[in-house]
Amino acid sequence: MSGVPSIRSREIKIVQNIPISKTLKFWEGLKKGKVYATKCVKCGKLHFPPSADCSECLSSEMDWIELSSEAEIETFTHVVVRPASFQQHKPYTVAIGKLKEGVKVLAWLTGFKMSEIRVGMKAKLVAKTTLEGNLTYEFVPL
Amino acid sequence: MRKVAIIGVGHSKFGNRNDVNVAELTFEAVKPSLEDAGITAKDVEFMALGSAGAGAWCEELIPAVVAAEYCGLKKPGLVRCEAACASGSAAFFTAYSAIASGQAEIAMALGVEKMKEVDTPTAMEWIGRAGYYLWEFHNFGLTFPAYYALYANAHMAKFGTTEEDLALVAVKNHKYGAMNPVAHFQKQITVDDVLSSTVIASPLKLFDCCPITDGSASVILASEEKVKELGIDTPVWVAGIGYSSGTANMSKRPDYVGLDASVKAAQMAYKKAKVTPDQIEFATVHDCFTIAEIMAYEDIGFCKKGEGAKLIREGQTEIGGKIPVNMDGGLKAKGHPIGTTGCSMIYEVTKQLREEAIEKSRQVPLKNYIGLAHNVGGTGHYCYVTILRR
Ligand SMILES: [Zn+2]
């Protein structure tokens, strides 16, 4: 990296297998174009990201609820300088939108001109499978 | 709870330190802190080390043990503290608690981070994962500038804060950084330099962001009895430490115009120290990005919510203003070696309270001798506020 004397450490490659058994319905829902949240049967708290356990009352009895799609954008940013594992992507826009159920979602926002994006504007939340086959969701124009 | 004093501080040069390894870097802070306290390495009974990323961006996974051996500590109790960018304050709190509780007479808080042994995209990857990897990084690739940019756009939309206001924070902190020989950047900049720098995550540009920095800082704490026994002439007392935290997911925050963790930690610190915000004579605040300093003014009570930009516009956070902030150049110009920053802030507040700021031009005038260090971890994921008095 520079002319200063150094030795190179041994190389390791890190890839973790992240369990999704307890939120499988969410990931399978994305494949079918649906975005699910969980709702606590005991206290009624709606959880997004979906959670198998209720942080409000600590019950583990949950219903799966399909979320509505219209969101109000609370904030956003265009990410120009990307981290190592996103180097192959073009710069992307990340936004946080609030749904009418009251939960907020952080996701990419696509399909808008940069100059059109404003705090307070409306967008639609949709499920998506990326070209690389990753299951995700994003905000798009209504 | 016993009274606890800071009796010695040490600080390495911050910057691109690929001339030293992580152990050698800690030595540059530990040795002067021991000399400053007038004690030897064997007197340290307990050491808490703050490091967020050792093992990720530098090769040592258990740096507390490596540093203790290298610096000649004699089998003290050891722990590594992780509170993201507030790891140094978490280490300080741990060392403080060891003494306040009566379990130790002399303890050390040591911060170290060695971030530049990996390339910049890899460093940004590790820092970007410091939120909720599964829900907010995996598919969305947020970086640290991006997290704070979410706050910047919301603050600008709600309060009319401008990119020029953000730039003023960078200009101020570079002005004082230029007077600090241990700072990463010792160069003054202009508003135009900031506004014309390359966009990192809109609206934040290169000069709105703190650099990726290597550095270490060491703080030695002692009980009141030990202060007397050692004949310490200028002990700096820990008046109160407040702490709080915030949700891992950004999507679960109530709004994006302030950090709730900062508000709660500050209120707790004021209560414990029995002081009000207007009694604080100067502060170091967590300016990892320019917007963070403006939110800090508001969150810790130096002005009302939404009036942070006014404070910087009026020059109230310069020497001679209502409340001088970041007279060491802040994270912005001094640099932000993640887990070191908390200890570096304590170093600066201690030096100021002893009226030993290295350059007199950045020494704040003091009457009550009360200073504050505000250290945020992550994007308001953690917060520690420490109030010190002479
Ligand atoms: Zn519940």
Side-chain angles (χ1 to χ4, degrees):
Chain A
M1 290 201 302
S2 73
V4 179
S6 63
I7 57 168
R8 286 178 69 79
S9 71
R10 290 184 180 278
E11 190 171 343
I12 50 169
K13 183 176 175 184
I14 303 171
V15 178
Q16 289 121 347
N17 289 307
I18 305 169
I20 55 165
S21 300
K22 290 196 166 190
T23 52
L24 198 57
K25 175 134 179 129
F26 172 75
W27 301 99
E28 290 186 334
L30 292 176
K31 274 189 221 166
K32 295 175 198 142
K34 295 177 192 300
V35 182
Y36 284 108
T38 53
K39 186 172 188 180
C40 177
V41 171
K42 194 172 160 202
C43 78
K45 169 95 175 170
L46 189 64
H47 294 275
F48 191 90
S51 174
D53 306 295
C54 182
S55 54
E56 203 66 28
C57 74
L58 305 188
S59 165
S60 299
E61 204 184 334
M62 291 283 182
D63 281 336
W64 287 92
I65 307 282
E66 189 183 344
L67 289 174
S68 65
S69 63
E70 192 177 310
E72 182 177 320
I73 299 303
E74 292 200 353
T75 190
F76 66 94
T77 179
H78 308 296
V79 182
V80 179
V81 176
R82 284 104 57 214
S85 63
F86 283 79
Q87 290 292 303
Q88 78 283 13
H89 286 275
K90 291 205 174 73
Y92 39 85
T93 302
V94 176
I96 298 175
K98 189 171 189 171
L99 304 182
K100 73 168 192 292
E101 293 90 335
V103 291
K104 296 192 217 184
V105 176
L106 180 146
W108 282 7
L109 180 109
T110 66
F112 288 89
K113 278 193 211 136
M114 273 200 354
S115 58
E116 295 171 345
I117 304 169
R118 300 256 182 283
V119 170
M121 74 173 196
K122 297 280 199 284
K124 189 165 84 171
L125 177 68
V126 294
K128 186 181 172 175
T129 305
T130 66
L131 291 174
E132 307 112 302
N134 285 337
L135 295 169
T136 187
Y137 40 96
E138 64 184 19
F139 293 112
V140 297
L142 288 177
Chain B
M1 293 265 281
R2 303 196 297 169
K3 275 180 77 178
V4 179
I6 294 165
I7 62 167
V9 289
H11 204 286
S12 80
K13 172 78 176 76
F14 277 13
N16 183 355
R17 296 301 313 276
N18 57 16
D19 56 321
V20 287
N21 65 34
V22 64
E24 293 159 353
L25 187 59
T26 61
F27 188 85
E28 293 184 20
V30 169
K31 185 181 178 186
S33 69
L34 294 167
E35 288 172 351
D36 187 32
I39 63 169
T40 63
K42 70 171 172 23
D43 298 321
V44 176
E45 299 159 48
F46 190 89
M47 188 265 270
L49 181 142
S51 174
W57 43 51
C58 84
E59 63 285 359
E60 300 299 344
L61 189 68
I62 52 170
V65 185
V66 170
E69 179 196 303
Y70 193 83
C71 297
L73 272 58
K74 301 292 181 233
K75 298 176 182 160
L78 292 175
V79 66
R80 170 182 173 178
C81 299
E82 183 282 307
C85 322
S87 299
S89 287
F92 182 79
F93 176 75
T94 304
Y96 163 83
S97 301
I99 297 169
S101 65
Q103 303 201 64
E105 298 302 319
I106 296 179
M108 176 186 285
L110 176 62
V112 69
E113 212 73 79
K114 195 96 185 18
M115 306 177 70
K116 297 186 81 85
E117 295 181 11
V118 296
D119 58 33
T120 298
T122 305
M124 290 192 77
E125 173 96 16
W126 283 119
I127 312 170
R129 289 176 178 223
Y132 207 136
Y133 171 89
L134 177 59
W135 298 109
E136 297 195 343
F137 185 89
H138 183 75
N139 273 324
F140 308 123
L142 279 151
T143 60
F144 237 65
Y147 287 120
Y148 274 94
L150 294 171
Y151 278 85
N153 270 328
H155 201 277
M156 289 164 72
K158 180 155 186 188
F159 299 119
T161 305
T162 65
E163 293 185 39
E164 287 79 2
D165 295 328
L166 302 182
L168 289 172
V169 173
V171 170
K172 171 182 72 72
N173 291 351
H174 273 267
K175 174 179 152 187
Y176 291 103
M179 302 173 198
N180 184 357
V182 300
H184 190 158
F185 295 133
Q186 291 160 33
K187 180 173 94 115
Q188 297 214 33
I189 58 168
T190 66
V191 168
D192 280 344
D193 290 335
V194 183
L195 295 179
S196 62
S197 62
T198 176
V199 175
I200 303 293
S202 71
L204 301 179
K205 294 165 284 296
L206 183 64
F207 282 172
D208 285 299
C209 307
C210 66
I212 295 171
T213 299
D214 300 327
S216 182
S218 172
V219 182
I220 296 170
L221 300 107
S223 63
E224 190 172 19
E225 291 81 352
K226 207 70 186 177
V227 166
K228 285 185 189 139
E229 187 190 315
L230 291 168
I232 303 292
D233 50 12
T234 323
V236 167
W237 300 97
V238 181
I241 305 178
Y243 43 80
S244 189
S245 56
T247 60
N249 277 301
M250 287 295 110
S251 65
K252 296 201 173 182
R253 302 287 171 87
D255 61 51
Y256 304 97
V257 295
L259 301 178
D260 187 51
S262 293
V263 175
K264 295 211 162 66
Q267 285 170 351
M268 188 193 286
Y270 292 134
K271 194 172 169 203
K272 285 184 176 174
K274 299 186 181 71
V275 298
T276 51
D278 56 294
Q279 288 176 278
I280 305 294
E281 290 179 289
F282 68 100
T284 58
V285 311
H286 201 87
D287 61 322
C288 47
F289 301 94
T290 49
I291 182 63
E293 178 161 326
I294 287 178
M295 292 196 299
Y297 297 162
E298 301 168 356
D299 292 340
I300 64 186
F302 294 161
C303 63
K304 292 199 189 89
K305 188 54 52 199
E307 292 182 358
K310 188 162 166 266
L311 217 57
I312 187 81
R313 271 179 226 148
E314 291 174 350
Q316 298 288 7
T317 52
E318 306 241 3
I319 286 174
K322 187 180 137 195
I323 173 83
V325 171
N326 289 338
M327 294 303 107
D328 56 357
L331 284 58
K332 179 66 204 74
K334 185 185 60 180
H336 179 28
I338 307 285
T340 303
T341 287
C343 291
S344 174
M345 288 175 161
I346 302 289
Y347 169 93
E348 168 66 9
V349 175
T350 301
K351 287 293 225 182
Q352 288 280 356
L353 288 173
R354 291 193 203 153
E355 297 174 305
E356 289 172 359
I358 299 165
E359 299 285 329
K360 289 297 156 207
S361 52
R362 58 179 197 85
Q363 173 68 52
V364 296
L366 297 165
K367 272 199 305 212
N368 308 319
Y369 292 89
I370 305 174
L372 175 150
H374 161 257
N375 189 194
V376 176
T379 318
H381 293 105
Y382 307 81
C383 187
Y384 286 84
V385 172
T386 303
I387 298 174
L388 304 179
R389 65 194 310 168
R390 201 167 121 182

